[in-house]
Structures are given as structure tokens and as C-alpha cells.
Amino acid sequence: MKNKILCLIFFILTLALAILSLFIGKYHFSFDELANLNAMQWQIFYTLRIGRTVTALAGGFALGLCGFVFQIVFKNALASPSIIGVSSGASAGAAAGILFFSGAFAITLCSFVGAICAVTLVLWFSYFDKNSRKSSIVLAGIAVHALAQTILMSLKLLADPESHLASIEYWMMGSLGNVSIDRLWWSVAVMIVTSAILFALHRQLILLSSDEDEARSLGVSVQGVRLVVLFLATLCVSSVISMTGLISFIGLVAPHIARRVIKNNKLSTMVMASVIGAALLLGSDIFARSLAKSELPISIFTSILGVPFLIWLTLHQERLR
């Protein structure tokens, strides 16, 4: 009962942030004005404000969920889409999609390919660690992140300064400024489907955090489930990146906050991590468009929260439980 109440409290907080997000921005709207909007004002509200809020909700939810999944699969408290290089790989793929293709589907597909390549390289690099240290995943992620950044810089050199370069820079900074409701449905649909399947597999996923022999004795195909959930989580993250660009640390911070609130590593924590991720991205987006005259990159605010948290987490060597 306590866990359900805590989940409800965070859900209400996230809902309140979503409502606040609808009314904050360059164009001011009030509750009273919504009933009397003219056609142009309603189009701005529907296309830009609602689209942005939906993206922040769905994207943050997906990043929080996938951070939880990566930490369980890799059995590493530091694993997250940004730390292990998945976000960087997805961003490099999205940049290639911008440069060589066009359309939301092509960019999402390229982003997914980049993310899959990043996960594959991380697993391959960490495989050579004969001592099987948990830190090898993080070290491999740092190497893959550096490689992805090198690819990004190379793509920027090839990009047309008057067209593609600005779009690639947007991806590297992370922002919801160019999101509109007409462009987000494909990516949001991918997030919803992959998230639903991950929640459907929650029993098998949670068992991955225990000993592999114990999981097998309970009927879990360890290798099969691991590959499926990694594939789904990577696709989910890449669909977020294809819309928002590189947003760091939400996938790291949200699951740890959820564990400290719920005090376990079960389905309720999985739900809480997703809801907290949505709240963090909504809050960061609200700050990004309200603290200065011009809009700021979201990653500034997620990094302000995430970097000290990462340092604290590294020093305390927190274990998954």
C-alpha cells in the first residue's frame, strides 16, 4: 500500500508539471484564455505546446524505464543510456540520418542503428575483461562514447553549414524546441510499444538481477531475455534521441531515486523510475524555456543534477538490490 501511495504522489507531481508545461513558453496562455483562443492561437497551442509536453512526458518516461532496464541487465548501478554510450551512438546515427537521408522515420532508423552498434561494442569490449569486473561496462561505455563523439565531429565537417550543421548541433545539445505534434507520433508510438513489452517482461527482467543459475531454475531463458530487452530498450532510447537530441543522466538518476523511495528492485520501482524520468524531463524543459530570454539546452539542467549524482554514486559504489 505504501508503494502505491508513493507512486500516486509522484504521478500527481508529474501530472502537475505536465499541466504547467502547457502554459509556459514564449507565447503566454492562461486558463481563461484557452476557452477563447482564435484559430491561430489554438494552432500554436495544439501544434507546439501540446506536442512539446507529450514529448517530454513520453521521452522522460522512456529514459527512466530504459535506465532501469540497462542497470538490471548489466547488473551495474552506473549503467544508463548516456553512461554506456547508447545515447551517443543514437545521436551519431541520427546525425548521419540528417546528413544523408530525410524524414522522421529515416532519422529514427539511423538513430536505432547507431544505438545498437554502441551496445554491441560495449558488450564486445567488456567481454575481454578476464576479471569480469562490473566497472568494465562503464569503461567500455566511455570508450564507445568517445568513438561516437569522433564520428559526430566527422559528420559535422561533412555537413552543409547553412542547413545540416545546425540540425546536428541541435541534436548534440538536446532540446524540445523544434518538436511539434505533427512530427512526434511515429517516435511516440515506438516508445509506447517498446515500453509496454518491457513492462510485460518485468518478471523475467527482474530475475536477471539475481544469479543466472537461479534465474534459469525459475524458467528464464537468460540469454534470450537479455537480448530481447536490450533490443527493446535500445529501440526505445533511439526513438527519444531522434526527437530530442542527446539528453544526459535522466536514465541514470531516475532509477536510483526510485530505489531509494520504494526500497526494492521490483515492478513498483520500475514504474516509479519511469514516472520520475518523465518528471525530470518535464521540469528540465520548463527551466530551459523560462530562465532566460532565449531557450537553453535541456542537457544543461539534467547535467547539473546528474554529474554530482554520478560522482556520489561512484564514491559510494552503490549496489543493485
Side-chain angles (χ1 to χ4, degrees), residues 11 14-15 17-19 21 50-63 176 191 274-275 277-279 281-282:
F11 177 80
T14 303
L15 183 61
L17 287 170
I19 294 173
S21 174
I50 293 179
R52 186 165 187 155
T53 301
V54 169
T55 302
L57 268 172
F61 187 94
L63 291 174
L176 303 185
M191 288 182 230
S274 306
V275 173
L281 187 52
L282 279 166

Side-chain angles (χ1 to χ4, degrees), residues 7-19:
C7 285
L8 179 61
I9 291 172
F10 275 90
F11 177 80
I12 293 173
L13 172 63
T14 303
L15 183 61
L17 287 170
I19 294 173

Side-chain angles (χ1 to χ4, degrees), residues 40 178 277 305 312:
M40 182 178 294
N178 292 336
L305 173 65
W312 179 87

Side-chain angles (χ1 to χ4, degrees), residues 62-105:
L63 291 174
L65 170 62
C66 293
F68 180 88
V69 169
F70 284 126
Q71 289 171 13
I72 292 295
V73 170
F74 291 121
K75 296 182 181 179
N76 192 308
L78 296 176
S80 72
S82 55
I83 297 297
I84 65 173
V86 175
S87 295
S88 298
S91 293
I98 293 170
L99 189 58
F100 300 114
F101 304 99
S102 62
F105 176 80

Side-chain angles (χ1 to χ4, degrees), residues 241-264:
I241 298 297
S242 67
M243 288 194 304
T244 66
L246 184 59
I247 296 179
S248 305
F249 293 111
I250 287 180
L252 173 69
V253 174
H256 284 288
I257 296 176
R259 287 190 191 94
R260 292 193 168 276
V261 172
I262 301 295
K263 306 296 184 183
N264 65 37

Side-chain angles (χ1 to χ4, degrees), residues 270-289:
M270 191 174 178
V271 174
M272 180 70 86
S274 306
V275 173
I276 291 173
L280 288 175
L281 187 52
L282 279 166
S284 298
D285 183 49
I286 289 171
F287 280 120
R289 52 183 151 135

Side-chain angles (χ1 to χ4, degrees), residues 85-154:
V86 175
S87 295
S88 298
S91 293
I98 293 170
L99 189 58
F100 300 114
F101 304 99
S102 62
F105 176 80
I107 294 173
T108 300
L109 181 60
C110 291
S111 179
F112 172 66
V113 171
I116 283 290
C117 290
V119 171
T120 303
L121 284 173
V122 167
L123 293 174
W124 186 67
F125 288 155
S126 61
Y127 172 78
F128 291 102
D129 182 9
K130 302 303 181 182
N131 297 320
S132 299
R133 296 169 298 176
K134 291 184 178 181
S135 60
S136 64
I137 292 289
V138 177
L139 296 174
I142 293 172
V144 170
H145 172 77
L147 176 61
Q149 291 299 311
T150 301
I151 294 172
L152 269 174
M153 287 188 287
S154 300

